[in-house]
Amino acid sequence: MRLLRMMPGYGETLIAEGDPRLDAQREALVAEFRRQLDDGMWAAVPVSDGRTGRREALLVTSFEEIPAGAERVLFWPRAAGGGAPA
């Protein structure tokens, strides 16, 4: 599994890589995943429908939500500004 951060003008930048089935590598992936979310990033897993070929992204908020066998998780910054303060 690869954790990738979307960087404006650079595309995808690798921030972590490992096998979630191995305990030590899983711990490192979970720690980096959590750090990205704590830094205010969104996370999504690209998925595709094998029958139709349709591609979409599944938003995730915890490492356990990542589907088994996912090859990559993408992070990108939340949009600045927007709605009025609550």
Side-chain angles (χ1 to χ4, degrees):
M1 172 185 296
R2 294 179 300 159
L3 303 182
L4 303 161
R5 187 169 188 167
M6 301 301 292
M7 303 291 287
Y10 297 98
E12 300 171 349
T13 302
L14 180 67
I15 54 176
E17 186 172 24
D19 187 344
R21 296 173 294 180
L22 302 174
D23 289 337
Q25 291 182 20
R26 179 181 175 80
E27 289 178 24
L29 288 170
V30 170
E32 187 59 38
F33 182 91
R34 186 79 249 151
R35 189 176 76 77
Q36 293 297 315
L37 293 184
D38 289 346
D39 285 349
M41 303 293 278
W42 289 100
V45 178
V47 294
S48 61
D49 186 334
R51 295 176 294 128
T52 64
R54 180 184 168 125
R55 297 182 301 172
E56 55 189 19
L58 172 67
L59 289 174
V60 293
T61 57
S62 72
F63 195 82
E64 290 74 29
E65 292 178 353
I66 299 172
E71 294 181 15
R72 60 191 177 141
V73 179
L74 301 173
F75 295 94
W76 71 94
R78 297 174 187 246

